[in-house]
Amino acid sequence: MDRVLIEALAVETVIGVYDWERTIRQRLVIDLEMATDIRAAAAGDDLAHTLDYAAISARIQAYADESRFELVETFAERLAALLRTEFSIPWLRMTLRKPGAVPEAAAVGVRIERGTLAPAMGQLA
């Protein structure tokens, strides 16, 4: 499987366990790696045959705008499920960082993988 990447996508959302965090929007930074087969898109130079990273990025922004979670784990898990469903993504790896959450660290966060990768055996181009 090939991979489509979105790196360091910054979004703002309401996230956090403390009362003061529930009254502000905070920045999250998302790295996303999504499995797909790009050969048909490349052969025809056709966006319809690949993952549209602009559309996916816009959907992530909209999701962040409407979300209100305490944990980055919840945000990541639900976003992964949404993306896999809406964009028919068989496998993804997401790293979600919350900069400034711990003063001594550049960021804290989670990395998750969801779905399965199709076996590469027998898929010679």
Side-chain angles (χ1 to χ4, degrees), residues 38-95:
I38 68 164
R39 290 177 289 189
D45 198 26
D46 188 350
L47 178 62
H49 296 293
T50 191
L51 295 173
D52 182 343
Y53 50 78
I56 293 169
S57 296
R59 184 62 181 105
I60 294 169
Q61 292 282 354
Y63 178 78
D65 287 344
E66 64 196 30
S67 295
R68 305 285 182 270
F69 297 116
E70 291 186 6
L71 302 177
V72 295
E73 291 86 345
T74 307
F75 186 100
E77 186 68 34
R78 295 199 184 159
L79 177 59
L82 177 141
L83 294 175
R84 290 190 64 227
T85 299
E86 289 188 13
F87 294 94
S88 301
I89 300 168
W91 174 91
L92 64 76
R93 175 183 295 138
M94 178 188 308
T95 303

Side-chain angles (χ1 to χ4, degrees), residues 5-66:
L5 306 175
I6 299 172
E7 295 183 345
L9 178 66
V11 299
E12 291 197 359
T13 191
V14 175
I15 190 125
V17 297
Y18 301 110
D19 288 342
W20 65 268
E21 290 181 295
R22 311 302 299 151
T23 64
I24 63 169
R25 299 181 70 74
Q26 296 185 72
R27 187 171 187 245
L28 298 177
V29 179
I30 301 166
D31 294 333
L32 194 57
E33 184 176 344
M34 301 163 288
T36 192
D37 186 340
I38 68 164
R39 290 177 289 189
D45 198 26
D46 188 350
L47 178 62
H49 296 293
T50 191
L51 295 173
D52 182 343
Y53 50 78
I56 293 169
S57 296
R59 184 62 181 105
I60 294 169
Q61 292 282 354
Y63 178 78
D65 287 344
E66 64 196 30

